[in-house]
Amino acid sequence: MTSVAIVGPGRMGLALAEGLAQSGELAEVAVFGRRPEPPRHRVFTLPETRYVYGAEPLPARCLALLLAVPDEAVPEVAHHFAAQGPAPGGCAAFHLSGGLPSDVLAPLHAAGYQVGVFRPWVFVSDAPGGARRFAGARIGVTASPEGFRVARELASLLGGDVFQIPAARRVLADAVVSMMESYLPVLLDGAVPLLDRVGLPPGEASEVLVPLLRSVLAEIEERGPSEALRTLTERADVEALDVHLKALDGDERRMYAWLREIVALRSGFAEAEAATTLPSSESSQVETALRE
């Protein structure tokens, strides 16, 4: 059986370690950290997992070295592990950043590693159970054919799959991940205070909003985002827009207006020659709200 080494016991590193250890297909998952003691996490109760303080040469049958560290630390870590000796036969080294090129792993490549980028398209928080996020997920990979083969094997152990991202388009792909990870929580964070004002008991906002989101995602999965957006715009009601804007104030009003403008833009309401992104019946209402 093979092993996997993960540098960085942060959110993503620990989630990957737990997912890989739970696969039952690896002899060991070694997690390397810069503190003498491992963080408190249930992954270290699994028999396949071992914490390593500092660095050490990797075992002969190591499948992959994953650098789950902040972007600024990747070059230093790459140098540090390259100095541990030649790569085990067939071992690949990946960093998890969408913004860094694989060139930062040049020291590891010189030591015999296949190198590339292994970017899980999942959101992982500090909460336990992050390994569940990988089931059915896709992982964007930039690597040589041999490196891609290793990445596919890793993804399979996690319960996911891979897709190839050309090196020249990786930052663009990472922007997509950032949009999806960041904007939805922002939208929900704006909706929760409104439900408080509606009179929903504290703590029940998620019970109301999450099923709504699931229904929207189900529609997108069945019909595609363009059709879902078309349905949304067909239901657009100018009178409802006016009532909603009057009921809202401050940041909530501006957020609603901005999102309505984006919906209009994406649905094709914008006129190429005009300086508006909304039908004229809506434009003045939204512009007023955005100026407030």
Side-chain angles (χ1 to χ4, degrees):
M1 296 178 73
T2 58
S3 65
V4 170
I6 299 173
V7 185
R11 289 179 307 211
M12 185 61 76
L14 292 174
L16 285 167
E18 184 174 5
L20 291 168
Q22 288 177 340
S23 72
E25 299 295 326
L26 296 171
E28 179 182 82
V29 177
V31 180
F32 293 80
R34 58 187 178 86
R35 299 183 185 278
E37 299 296 326
R40 297 183 63 181
H41 192 280
R42 66 185 189 183
V43 69
F44 295 112
T45 66
L46 301 175
E48 299 87 353
T49 309
R50 180 171 65 96
Y51 181 76
V52 182
Y53 171 44
E56 65 182 27
L58 303 185
R61 298 198 62 192
C62 185
L63 176 68
L65 171 66
L66 299 174
L67 275 57
V69 297
D71 287 11
E72 62 272 14
V74 170
E76 179 183 354
V77 172
H79 277 284
H80 196 53
F81 274 82
Q84 302 303 311
C91 188
F94 300 101
H95 70 66
L96 277 55
S97 168
L100 291 178
S102 57
D103 294 354
V104 296
L105 302 179
L108 289 166
H109 187 262
Y113 291 85
Q114 295 290 326
V115 298
V117 181
F118 186 88
R119 177 70 160 93
W121 283 40
V122 297
F123 180 78
V124 173
S125 70
D126 288 321
R132 296 194 304 270
R133 305 286 188 263
F134 298 112
R138 301 296 293 277
I139 297 167
V141 175
T142 302
S144 66
E146 180 60 24
F148 192 80
R149 182 196 65 77
V150 174
R152 186 183 295 280
E153 188 171 347
L154 285 172
S156 178
L157 293 171
L158 292 165
D161 201 357
V162 293
F163 65 103
Q164 184 83 41
I165 298 178
R169 299 288 183 265
R170 190 170 57 255
V171 174
L172 184 61
D174 199 56
V176 174
V177 177
S178 181
M179 288 170 61
M180 299 302 294
E181 287 184 338
S182 303
Y183 298 163
L184 184 56
V186 167
L187 178 60
L188 290 174
D189 191 59
V192 169
L194 297 179
L195 289 179
D196 289 341
R197 287 166 52 188
V198 168
L200 198 71
E204 290 190 15
S206 293
E207 296 178 16
V208 172
L209 293 173
V210 170
L212 172 61
L213 288 176
R214 288 196 181 113
S215 70
V216 174
L217 291 174
E219 182 76 8
I220 291 171
E221 188 172 22
E222 291 174 9
R223 304 180 63 202
S226 296
E227 280 299 305
L229 183 59
R230 186 181 65 80
T231 301
L232 175 65
T233 55
E234 284 177 350
R235 294 167 48 199
D237 185 335
V238 176
E239 292 182 2
L241 169 66
D242 184 54
V243 172
H244 293 166
L245 288 173
K246 287 178 180 178
L248 300 169
D249 52 36
D251 290 341
E252 295 158 353
R253 178 179 166 89
R254 284 187 287 273
M255 177 181 286
Y256 184 97
W258 176 74
L259 290 169
R260 186 58 177 260
E261 186 176 39
I262 295 297
V263 168
L265 175 65
R266 297 302 302 175
S267 61
F269 284 155
E271 299 177 8
E273 299 83 7
T276 179
T277 58
L278 292 165
S280 57
S281 56
E282 297 187 24
S283 180
S284 61
Q285 298 169 356
V286 169
E287 288 176 359
T288 298
L290 290 172
R291 285 197 302 268
E292 293 175 351

